[in-house]
Structures are given as C-alpha cells and as structure tokens.
Amino acid sequence: MDLVSSPAAMRRWALASLIGNMGIVVTGGLVRVTGSGLGCPTWPQCTPGSYVPHAESGGHAFIEFGNRTLTFVLVVIAVGTFVAAWRARDAAGAPRRDLRGLALAAALGIPAQAVIGGISVLTGLNPWVVGLHLGPSIALIVISTVLVHRAWAVLPVPVPARARLLVVATFVVGLAAMLAGMVVTGAGPNSGDGGAARNGLDLTTVARLHSLSVWVVVALTIVLVVILRRVPGARRAVQLLLVVELAQGGIGYAQYFLALPAALVALHMVGTTLFTAALTHLWWLTRRSA
C-alpha cells in the first residue's frame, strides 16, 4: 500500500490529522475531569529525572502521560501528512501548494500546543493558560477539516449572498462561543487538579453569557436551514451542524444543572470537536454565488 505518494494516501493522512487533533482535545478533557493535570508535575519530564511515570507515581501520572504521548502520535501524523502533501500533484502534474500550506500549518500547531501544555504545568494549571490550550486545538481542527476538503477535492457550493454572510457570521459567533466556554471552564470546579486556582469569575454569570452566545449560533443556524433548504449540498451541511448544536447544547445544560459530572464534561469536549468540524465544513463548503 502506498503510504505517501498517491491521492488515496493523501486523503488518509488528512483524515488521520483531523481525527488525531480532535482526539487530543478529548484526552485533554479527560486529564482535567479526572484531576490528573499535575499527575506529571514537571515538563518536559514527567517527574524529576524521568520522562515516564513510575509505578509509584499513581494513576493520575499515567493519565497525564498518556495525553502527552498522544502528542508524539500527532507528530508522526503531521510528518506523514506533510510528506504526502509535498508529493501530491494536481491533474496537470503541478505541486499541490494548497495542501502543502495546510499540512505545514497543522504541523506547526503541534509544538505550539506542547509548549502551552508545558507552561500550564509549570504555572500550576493557571486557568487562563489551560484555557489558552483550547485556542490552538480549535485552529488545528479547522485547518485539518479544510485539509480533508482539499484532499478529497470537495467542490464548493454556490449560495445566495445573504446566506454566505450568515454562514460567516455563524462561523465567527461559533468560535466566540467556544472561547466563552473556555472561560466557563476556568471558573468551574474541574480544574485538572484539586489545588489549582480558578479564574475568579462568577460561574453562573459566565455560563449564562456562554449560553447566550450558543443560542445566537443556534438561531443563525435555523435561519440558514430555512434559506438553504433548496441547496442540496449546503442543506445537508447546515442540517448536520444544527443536529450537533442541539446535542451539544443539551449536554451543556445537563452538565450545568447536574453540577458538572465528569462523564458529561468529557462528552461535552467530544461535542466541541464535532461542532468545530461541522462549523468549518459549512463555512468552507459554501461560496457566494456570482
């Protein structure tokens, strides 16, 4: 099987990049909800003098180390993706510079994530630094989603100008809603470690602001469902986004009213990755008609 030189290989690497970058968000959430954020109290080593946890380190160390190990898996995927993108050619035999740029951007985001993770450990899980972790993760999922579209040569769907404007607005507000969720996380009880500080903001207030931003996204999406109901490709994309939003919103309200149980918080992180991918899919797929 050709690992890097065929269009099929490029598609596989692009999909692996997307899945890997979604996966590390989820495992990072598991580290936080299990209180394992300082299971490895140093960085880049796990414990002083050792890059791996010892048997006496406890379960938290192995959970945190597992999340760190996934970074190396992402490095392998990034290298494979970049090599495949470098070798990719279009129908005329010209280099696929679009794939190269996206693969390079995805690769550069991984060490940036590792550095932020190290700083979060060295600062005792400062909530703002930990929250900053989510920004590059969202960016990497966006980049990887676009890379999948380009690798599969998905053709854009022309939509009315007002629809395209609403799509862009939904994309921007959706990203803002996720960043607001980051602030809510910093105010909540799941700090990643029992002794880690919180950001000091009132949880109820920031949760309501986050909820408001989510409702704006849902409202915009419903309008798009109506506007794009006669545009086949775009219709499916916006319907998918709405389904993800409703599921994610339901999980969000459930975790809030049930005092943030770990299982629901982790499921909410899964929803965040799916929402980012679905939102990017709609944004990239649609283009203003001439």
Side-chain angles (χ1 to χ4, degrees):
M1 181 176 64
D2 188 345
L3 295 179
V4 292
S5 299
S6 68
M10 182 67 243
R11 292 193 290 269
R12 287 193 294 267
W13 283 112
L15 187 59
S17 179
L18 176 59
I19 294 172
N21 281 295
M22 294 172 72
I24 200 166
V25 173
V26 177
T27 59
L30 290 174
V31 169
R32 179 165 53 81
V33 299
T34 57
S36 304
L38 294 178
C40 288
T42 62
W43 186 87
Q45 294 180 327
C46 180
T47 58
S50 176
Y51 286 92
V52 299
H54 302 291
E56 61 272 16
S57 301
H60 290 319
F62 285 93
I63 294 173
E64 164 63 5
F65 180 72
N67 186 56
R68 292 188 184 187
T69 301
L70 185 55
T71 300
F72 295 99
V73 175
L74 285 178
V75 169
V76 173
I77 293 174
V79 171
T81 302
F82 184 74
V83 173
W86 189 266
R87 295 189 176 185
R89 297 291 187 271
D90 62 18
R96 291 290 305 275
R97 300 187 187 280
D98 58 332
L99 295 179
R100 291 181 181 181
L102 290 166
L104 179 60
L108 293 177
I110 295 171
Q113 278 286 66
V115 170
I116 295 172
I119 294 173
S120 67
V121 170
L122 297 177
T123 57
L125 301 183
N126 179 287
W128 296 107
V129 178
V130 173
L132 184 62
H133 227 0
L134 183 62
S137 293
I138 291 173
L140 286 169
I141 293 174
V142 170
I143 292 169
S144 297
T145 302
V146 174
L147 183 62
V148 168
H149 280 74
R150 300 297 294 180
W152 255 269
V154 177
L155 296 177
V157 177
V159 299
R162 60 173 181 167
R164 178 58 184 170
L165 182 62
L166 282 174
V167 167
V168 173
T170 304
F171 183 75
V172 172
V173 178
L175 295 180
M178 286 187 284
L179 294 178
M182 174 197 75
V183 178
V184 174
T185 297
N190 292 311
S191 63
D193 180 80
R198 303 284 71 210
N199 61 25
L201 300 177
D202 179 66
L203 177 59
T204 300
T205 300
V206 294
R208 285 175 177 170
L209 291 173
H210 173 53
S211 176
L212 177 62
S213 67
V214 170
W215 277 113
V216 172
V217 175
V218 172
L220 288 170
T221 306
I222 291 174
V223 173
L224 282 170
V225 167
V226 175
I227 294 176
L228 298 176
R229 66 187 184 280
R230 300 184 189 279
V231 185
R235 182 181 66 236
R236 290 189 293 270
V238 73
Q239 289 172 345
L240 172 64
L241 177 61
L242 182 60
V243 169
V244 173
E245 288 172 356
L246 294 177
Q248 178 73 331
I251 295 169
Y253 275 108
Q255 68 172 358
Y256 178 77
F257 289 114
L258 295 175
L260 299 172
L264 284 181
V265 174
L267 191 59
H268 200 54
M269 295 304 296
V270 175
T272 297
T273 65
L274 294 174
F275 171 70
T276 305
L279 185 66
T280 306
H281 172 55
L282 177 65
W283 168 72
W284 185 258
L285 182 68
T286 57
R287 292 292 185 275
R288 180 174 176 173
S289 57

